[in-house]
Structures are given as structure tokens and as C-alpha cells.
Amino acid sequence: MTTTPTTAAVDSSPVGTPDPTRRPERRPQATTTAFLRTATPLLVVIVGLALFTGARNPAFLTGNNLQNILSQVAVLGILAAGQTFLLIGGQMDLSVGSLASLVAVLAAREFGAGWSPVAVVAVSLATGAAVGLLWGLIVAYLSVPPFILTLGGLSVFASLALVVSGNTPIPVPDGLSGWGFGTWLGLRAPVVMVLAVMLVWGLALHFSRFGRNTYALGSSRQATYLSGVPVRRLVVALFVLNSTLTAFGGLVLMARLGSGDPRSGSGLELTVIAVIVLGGAALSGGRGTMAGSALGVLVFGVISASLTFLHVPGAYQSLVSGGILIVAVVITAAADLRAGRAIGIRGENGLLATTFGSLLRRRPR
């Protein structure tokens, strides 16, 4: 799938005086070849783990278990859809996990107060959009690094979730139960929702002007501005989209758990970045695909399910799953680096030290 940045409407946002004589840096974009180079090792991991686990426990290779896996990673997939846009656009949001927890807690309290499902969904999505608008305005107009800004938001939202819930999960016996346990079109509701979100926004990413401008922004902000794209408004739109999808993910999380748990989204912020990078995105922006992010999410789900079916002790599951993810990323990055050298460019994901170093630096302590 070939994705190249194109021009759009004239920009009315002053972002400084660009130097038209400076040649903008060119970076490799998402192409069908690059996607296949990323997807092949991930598919090998998925198929290999599935066959290995299925040989020891036949229940693993069933349609029911596949739906179990997709249901378990539904929230991760919804968050990954929004974060994919952000990373491709050269941005990042580390507050998604705690924001999802806060939305789940607030929604649970609203249901407890007798609100209708429509009102709860509308207010929750509006809350997410408002957070994204705030992040986008600060990043776009005050030039605050999104990593620092959203890292602070992570702590704020996590604390608010604990305060609002009284540090105790808030039960929701009936609110949005169909979202968590219902069946739509013969599939479980969370499966339908994550597939729909990734399909719709994948099409938007790869076949709309908004998506092409997002690739252009991540590749070179200066060149995007010179081509007439309103870069500041685009940055704001990316954060609004991401936070709105995060709020939707928080509602799905609440529906699946049957409660608003203030700790339910803990750790999702790093996991979602890991699966997107695993799917071929570059932390520096300008590269990635929705299909790659979906494969990264599926790899994470298959690994987690395989460890459970193989009765691996919980104390070792993070060690094993982390090791498998590292191996998959290394294989993908090595192939990308070889391809980059072959055409005389520097492979983005081939910079393993930069990629893992950036992840480590972004890990909240």
C-alpha cells in the first residue's frame, strides 16, 4: 500500500519563518514492500506460536479462542488506532492509559447516578475530545514537547481516577453490558468494535487527505508547511482524534470489566507504543500503517494467550512476552536496515539503539 504526502489547503497558522532555500529532509514512506518486510516476521511469530501452543493444547486453535484473544486486546487495539496517527505525525501521548481509566471511573459514577447510556457515552467522548484539544493546543501553539506534557497528564489522570473512585472499583451491573458481553453480527461486541475502528481509521489514514497530511507532517514539518498544510490545526486534530478514541476505549474497558477500575488502564501507554513500533512505525514520525499496528496488537494478544494456555507462571509471563517482542522487533529492524542500505538511505526502524533508547527514556518512573 503506497502512501505519499500531498498538498492540502493553504495554511493560516504562523509557525515561524521557513527557509524556502533549504531542501527538506526526505524520509522513506510506508510502501507495500516496507509493509511486507515488517509484516512477514510478525505473521511468522503469530503462526509459529499458534501452532506450537495448539500442538500442546488443541483448544487454542478454535474460533472461540480467537474471539477470546481479540476481545482481550480490543481496548489496546482501539487505543493503538489513535496513537498510530499520532506517531506517524511525529507526536506522542503517554496519558492514554490513565485517561482510559479516568473515563471508565467517571462513566461508572454517571451510571450509578442514573444517567442514560446515551448521555454517558456522549459526555465520555466529549471529555476525551476536550483533553485532546487541550494537548493539541499546548503542543501546537506553545511548542511544549508532547512527551513531557502527556507524561504529566498520565500522573494527573491516574490520581484523579483514584480520587473519584475512592481507590475502589465502582461496579456497573447494567451500564453498556452489551458492549462488553453482547454479540453483534455473530461476533463478540468488543471484537466488532475494534475491527470497525481499525478498518475505518485505517481507510482514513491511507486514502484521505487527512491521512496523507499526517504522513507529511511526520516526515518533515517544514516541508508540510511550505506545501500549504495548516500544520498547527493538523496537530490539534491528531490529538483530538487520539483522545476521543482513548475515551471510547475507556468505555469498552468499563463494559468488559463490569466496573470502573481506577487501575484498569495502568501500563497501556507503553504497551500501545510498543505494539505500534512492532508494527513498523517510527518513533520519529512519517512512517507506519494501521495494518501493521493491528498485527502488532495481534502478536501481543497471541503471546499473552499462549503463555496462559502453556501454564507459564505469572511471574515469568512478562519476561517471556517481552523477550519475544524484542526478538520480533530486532528481526523486523534488521530487515529494514538492510533494505535501507540497499537504496542508500538510513532505515528508521533499523536504529535499534534509538528506538529502544527512546522507549526507555519515555518510561515513567
Side-chain angles (χ1 to χ4, degrees):
M1 184 178 298
T2 303
T3 308
T4 56
T6 62
T7 60
V10 176
D11 189 6
S12 60
S13 306
V15 292
T17 304
D19 180 7
T21 63
R22 180 180 178 183
R23 183 182 180 88
E25 179 185 359
R26 296 181 61 86
R27 296 184 181 183
Q29 301 300 313
T31 63
T32 302
T33 302
F35 170 70
L36 291 176
R37 189 166 57 244
T38 299
T40 300
L42 300 184
L43 290 172
V44 169
V45 170
I46 293 172
V47 174
L49 272 176
L51 294 177
F52 179 80
T53 307
R56 285 155 179 76
N57 192 331
F60 187 84
L61 297 176
T62 62
N64 184 61
N65 185 56
L66 176 59
Q67 290 204 58
N68 282 337
I69 295 174
L70 293 177
S71 296
Q72 289 168 4
V73 298
V75 175
L76 179 62
I78 293 170
L79 268 59
Q83 191 82 256
T84 297
F85 273 87
L86 271 185
L87 286 183
I88 292 174
Q91 311 299 319
M92 179 179 291
D93 188 350
L94 290 177
S95 66
V96 293
S98 56
L99 178 58
S101 298
L102 177 60
V103 169
V105 167
L106 292 175
R109 285 185 62 90
E110 291 160 4
F111 276 118
W115 289 32
S116 68
V118 174
V120 172
V121 172
V123 170
S124 298
L125 296 181
T127 300
V131 171
L133 179 63
L134 177 63
W135 287 167
L137 290 174
I138 293 175
V139 171
Y141 289 91
L142 299 181
S143 299
V144 176
F147 161 64
I148 298 298
L149 177 67
T150 59
L151 182 60
L154 183 154
S155 300
V156 170
F157 296 149
S159 297
L160 284 175
L162 291 172
V163 170
V164 171
S165 65
N167 201 15
T168 304
I170 302 174
V172 185
D174 299 319
L176 299 180
S177 58
W179 285 26
F181 306 101
T183 300
W184 301 348
L185 303 175
L187 298 174
R188 296 179 189 177
V191 177
V192 175
M193 286 187 283
V194 68
L195 292 178
V197 166
M198 288 207 144
L199 176 61
V200 170
W201 289 108
L203 292 175
L205 177 62
H206 298 294
F207 297 102
S208 72
R209 177 177 296 179
F210 177 67
R212 292 190 292 269
N213 288 344
T214 300
Y215 277 102
L217 177 65
S219 295
S220 174
R221 182 178 179 124
Q222 181 191 41
T224 305
Y225 169 67
L226 291 175
S227 67
V229 175
V231 292
R232 285 181 170 174
R233 291 202 293 268
L234 179 57
V235 169
V236 173
L238 289 174
F239 275 99
V240 170
L241 170 62
N242 176 69
S243 293
T244 303
L245 286 176
T246 298
F248 179 61
L251 290 173
V252 176
L253 184 61
M254 182 210 67
R256 277 187 46 76
L257 296 177
S259 66
D261 189 340
R263 296 182 177 84
S264 55
S266 177
L268 280 176
E269 55 279 335
L270 289 183
T271 303
V272 70
I273 292 175
V275 297
I276 295 172
V277 173
L278 184 64
L283 291 174
S284 54
R287 184 171 184 176
T289 63
M290 192 63 70
S293 297
L295 281 176
V297 171
L298 186 58
V299 167
F300 182 84
V302 170
I303 290 174
S304 300
S306 294
L307 294 177
T308 300
F309 270 78
L310 295 174
H311 306 292
V312 176
Y316 296 98
Q317 288 197 11
S318 295
L319 174 65
V320 175
S321 61
I324 293 175
L325 287 174
I326 289 174
V327 171
V329 171
V330 168
I331 293 174
T332 301
D336 183 72
L337 181 59
R338 287 195 300 271
R341 286 173 175 171
I343 60 176
I345 60 176
R346 193 182 184 200
E348 295 282 355
N349 275 352
L351 303 176
L352 293 180
T354 301
T355 300
F356 288 106
S358 297
L359 280 176
L360 291 175
R361 287 194 297 273
R362 286 164 170 74
R363 185 181 182 89
R365 299 295 181 185

